[in-house]
Amino acid sequence: MLIIFLGILSQWIAWRLQLPAIVLMSIAGLLAGPLLNIIHPAESFGEMFNPIISLAVAIILFEGSLNLDFKEIKGFNKPVWRIVTVGAFIAWIAGSLAAHYMAGLSWAVAFVIGGLFIVTGPTVILPMLRQSKLASRPAAILKWEGIIVDPFGALLALFAFQFVLFAKGDETAAAFGLFFLASLFAILLGIVAGRAMGWLFEKGMVPEYLKSPMVFAVVLLTFTLSDIVMHETGLLAVTAMGMAMANMHISSINDMRHFKENISVLLISSIFVMLTASIPLDILIGIFNWRIIVFVLAMLFIVRPLSIWMSTIGTDMTVQEKILVGWIAPRGIVALTVSGYFASTLLDAGFQDAELLTALTFALVLATVVAHGFTIGWLGRKLGLASSAEPGIIIVGASKFATLLAKTLLDLNKNVLIIDSAWGRLQEARLTGIPVHAGEILSEHTEYEVDLMPYETMVVATETDAYNSLVVSNFVPELGRGNLYQTALQVGDPTVFHSSLSGRNLFGDEWNILELDKKLGEGYSFRKTPLTDQFTYDDFKRNGAAGTIPLFVKRTLGRIDFFTSDQGVEPKNGDIIVSFSPPAYQQGRLQEKIDTNRLKALPQSKE
């Protein structure tokens, strides 16, 4: 209970304070485990400890690979494949040299652990990308590298171990053949499992309520069968399975992806707390060994940048992208779990210096998680590879009212984007200088053509109620229902659509987009009213013309709060109220100015 609670609590605190979640989870585990001695997961779970972590890693890795659609890297697949092949090989050699000369490990142990340390992995890189809001291209490069290299790092360490045993005479050449055959079997098993599941789904042979549970079960089965054939090949199998399903473009893939994402958040939170809480205190103290510190620094500032810069020679990666990708390489759960396996295996094989592996791995994991977690967003913004602006607003539908709403937000220095499927309807917005995208918001191509990462609020304002609700339902997992708004329903009875299918009603239940456009035709206009000590919100309500529709409030810190039917907004002094005012108000204001100017023109009486 405490493991799950601490993991999710860390995620929530990280979200509230905009801090790297991985860092807080690690701190929570260390406090509850070796420092305060409250929990001992390795002892509590006993023989189930390693299987639980292995199966959890398999699910996390599958969920990550389910996002590896080749369309995502169309146009920059060359640097991705260079990094996961040439870059991984350079990182292995350079990391092994650092482990030997700086950490003092024997050549055999150094080459085993050097292969393992090429991993970054979705357990750490995906939470970082979620918070950092990097541009789509560097984010995709880091994501693909982390997911693909994760199983290959474990296999590379296994290959190095097989070679070490062969060099000692403890293994025959046939073992190498078995290694490659087992790896090939894992890839084929994963592809067959993924294609088979996709075929069953496309043919309608699995009901909707069983799709996610069935995938969940098949992932565990695929991982276990492959791992029985040869240890550490299960990760390769589930990665191949996820990629096979991702590139089949199954219609229900998004539902499964959301389910797996929710499971992954829970597992990542729990597993990180379990692992850090199980670190013995002597190993925690041992990471301050000067050799370990020098090794970690070399991995951060020499090995990683060297592997990225050398492997991307001749690609179209910019200098800024090379700097960012060359710095970000956090290690996570796979490195911790697999290093524990090889530490015991190498010790059994007679390599006594392998007892240093756990402390070495934990030092690298902790250092990279902290260093990269706190700097990825800052460095991305400094290099122009992340959104430096505050979160923006997407408006779906390019009606006259929606266009004027976007223009008003733009005038208030807000980041706005209008999306509409018809190019012609966007003409007025384009002429006004509003950023636009002509395309279907529900199309999978949109996420490749438009970077939606900088936007966390969506206003859906088309003329079709059912379509508005469909868009809202589609984006609930990404944005949350609290950040999804739609104009009021045009049907007479608002209960026709259940609240779970709709966004928050903008401006009140009676103001649908047709009525708002009609008001524009009657002469309504947008009005900005700053609130001060002399003119408060009560004055605004008291002096406003009849028929005025409050739209939203811009807070002093820049946040936009829309007026909705389900929640009142309390503007304060210093805020700006934007309202939709009738022509009577404008005429009244004009008359006030005329009267004022007339009074000024009258001769002043003399005392």
Side-chain angles (χ1 to χ4, degrees):
M1 178 278 299
L2 195 58
I3 288 169
I4 295 173
F5 176 74
L6 287 176
I8 299 301
L9 180 65
S10 301
Q11 292 265 17
W12 180 75
I13 294 174
W15 170 75
R16 291 287 297 178
L17 303 180
Q18 293 299 299
L19 295 174
I22 296 295
V23 176
L24 295 188
M25 289 186 284
S26 300
I27 293 173
L30 291 174
L31 286 174
L35 297 180
L36 298 180
N37 210 27
I38 298 174
I39 56 175
H40 306 89
E43 297 178 10
S44 300
F45 287 101
E47 293 183 356
M48 290 296 294
F49 183 76
N50 288 327
I52 287 174
I53 291 178
S54 296
L55 293 174
V57 171
I59 295 167
I60 295 166
L61 196 55
F62 171 77
E63 189 273 326
S65 61
L66 204 59
N67 295 295
L68 296 185
D69 191 331
F70 289 116
K71 290 182 180 179
E72 184 180 17
I73 56 171
K74 185 179 181 181
F76 59 96
N77 54 1
K78 185 177 180 180
V80 171
W81 297 122
R82 283 277 197 89
I83 289 171
V84 301
T85 52
V86 178
F89 179 77
I90 294 172
W92 176 33
I93 301 302
S96 301
L97 292 173
H100 176 70
Y101 287 109
M102 297 177 182
L105 298 178
S106 63
W107 281 113
V109 178
F111 270 98
V112 172
I113 204 65
L116 176 60
F117 283 165
I118 70 170
V119 305
T120 53
T123 59
V124 283
I125 198 66
L126 293 183
M128 286 186 184
L129 293 177
R130 192 178 293 121
Q131 288 185 324
S132 62
K133 298 189 182 299
L134 291 184
S136 56
R137 181 176 156 113
I141 292 173
L142 288 168
K143 181 181 74 174
W144 276 71
E145 181 204 8
I147 296 170
I148 292 177
V149 171
D150 223 29
F152 282 111
L155 286 177
L156 202 55
L158 186 61
F159 170 79
F161 178 65
Q162 295 286 344
F163 182 81
V164 166
L165 294 181
F166 174 74
K168 282 185 63 180
D170 296 342
E171 199 69 81
T172 64
F176 280 104
L178 179 61
F179 169 80
F180 288 111
L181 285 175
S183 300
L184 181 61
F185 169 77
I187 295 174
L188 292 176
L189 178 63
I191 292 174
V192 169
R195 301 289 295 184
M197 291 302 300
W199 181 82
L200 288 173
F201 290 171
E202 288 182 328
K203 295 297 182 182
M205 300 181 70
V206 180
E208 288 296 326
Y209 77 96
L210 275 182
K211 285 184 177 179
S212 292
M214 183 170 284
V215 170
F216 184 85
V218 173
V219 167
L220 298 182
L221 177 66
T222 303
F223 171 82
T224 306
L225 288 177
S226 182
D227 232 40
I228 289 173
V229 173
M230 178 167 283
H231 198 56
E232 302 304 337
T233 60
L235 297 178
L236 185 61
V238 296
T239 302
M241 179 180 172
M243 290 182 69
M245 294 186 70
N247 288 278
M248 290 180 70
H249 304 119
I250 306 166
S251 56
S252 57
I253 193 75
N254 283 330
D255 295 335
M256 291 184 292
R257 187 179 290 128
H258 297 323
F259 170 77
K260 290 285 184 281
E261 187 175 274
N262 292 334
I263 292 293
S264 292
V265 169
L266 181 63
L267 292 177
I268 289 172
S269 306
S270 304
I271 298 304
F272 244 94
V273 173
M274 285 177 65
L275 286 172
T276 52
S278 299
I279 299 292
L281 188 59
D282 57 334
I283 290 180
L284 186 61
I285 296 172
I287 69 174
F288 296 102
N289 182 303
W290 72 270
R291 283 185 173 275
I292 292 180
I293 294 174
V294 171
F295 169 76
V296 169
L297 293 174
M299 293 293 289
L300 286 172
F301 296 103
I302 299 176
V303 174
R304 173 64 177 182
L306 180 70
S307 66
I308 296 300
W309 282 80
M310 290 186 67
S311 64
T312 55
I313 293 173
T315 67
D316 61 347
M317 279 186 70
T318 64
V319 173
Q320 291 83 355
E321 288 173 339
K322 290 181 181 180
I323 292 173
L324 179 66
V325 177
W327 169 243
I328 303 300
R331 275 66 169 189
I333 291 174
V334 171
L336 281 173
T337 55
V338 179
S339 71
Y341 164 75
F342 281 110
S344 60
T345 306
L346 286 166
L347 283 171
D348 292 341
F351 297 97
Q352 296 305 312
D353 56 330
E355 63 184 4
L356 190 64
L357 290 188
T358 304
L360 198 69
T361 306
F362 183 71
L364 184 62
V365 168
L366 190 62
T368 54
V369 161
V370 173
H372 299 154
F374 278 110
T375 60
I376 183 171
W378 172 84
L379 184 60
R381 290 188 292 272
K382 288 292 183 182
L383 295 173
L385 298 175
S387 175
S388 58
E390 60 183 86
I393 300 170
I394 292 177
I395 298 178
V396 180
S399 67
K400 291 183 178 180
F401 175 84
T403 301
L404 285 176
L405 176 63
K407 182 63 171 65
T408 305
L409 289 165
L410 198 64
D411 291 342
L412 292 171
N413 299 317
K414 308 307 294 183
N415 185 17
V416 184
L417 174 69
I418 295 184
I419 296 180
D420 196 290
S421 57
W423 176 257
R425 284 200 294 265
L426 292 167
Q427 181 178 3
E428 187 175 344
R430 295 198 311 273
L431 294 175
T432 313
I434 302 169
V436 301
H437 172 73
E440 173 53 63
I441 185 66
L442 296 175
S443 170
E444 65 179 40
H445 296 287
T446 301
E447 62 181 290
Y448 304 123
E449 297 170 356
V450 182
D451 182 13
L452 300 179
M453 188 68 75
Y455 305 94
E456 71 173 20
T457 301
M458 181 178 288
V459 172
V460 189
T462 75
E463 298 176 356
T464 307
D465 292 337
Y467 179 79
N468 292 347
S469 296
L470 185 62
V471 173
V472 167
S473 299
N474 187 74
F475 281 91
V476 165
E478 283 83 9
L479 300 178
R481 196 170 297 277
N483 293 323
L484 288 163
Y485 302 87
Q486 71 180 74
T487 48
L489 301 175
Q490 298 168 40
V491 294
D493 182 6
T495 61
V496 169
F497 286 89
H498 192 272
S499 60
S500 65
L501 300 176
S502 304
R504 302 169 66 188
N505 270 7
L506 284 170
F507 324 135
D509 292 331
E510 68 273 23
W511 298 115
N512 60 62
I513 194 64
L514 294 180
E515 287 293 327
L516 292 169
D517 279 346
K518 181 180 176 182
K519 292 297 180 184
L520 272 177
E522 295 174 358
Y524 270 62
S525 60
F526 283 76
R527 165 192 166 203
K528 305 186 191 80
T529 307
L531 298 182
T532 64
D533 293 335
Q534 290 73 37
F535 190 85
T536 65
Y537 183 46
D538 289 334
D539 296 326
F540 170 83
K541 291 188 291 185
R542 186 166 49 250
N543 298 331
T548 296
I549 307 170
L551 302 180
F552 63 85
V553 176
K554 182 188 179 185
R555 302 294 187 182
T556 53
L557 296 178
R559 191 179 80 246
I560 297 294
D561 286 340
F562 287 99
F563 285 90
T564 62
S565 60
D566 65 333
Q567 183 177 347
V569 177
E570 290 296 331
K572 300 178 181 177
N573 292 349
D575 295 342
I576 297 175
I577 296 181
V578 175
S579 58
F580 200 37
S581 301
Y585 175 82
Q586 303 299 331
Q587 293 170 2
R589 294 283 292 176
L590 181 61
Q591 187 63 47
E592 285 180 15
K593 289 183 179 180
I594 292 173
D595 293 341
T596 301
N597 291 334
R598 184 180 297 150
L599 288 172
K600 289 180 179 179
L602 293 174
Q604 301 294 318
S605 60
K606 295 182 179 180
E607 292 292 336

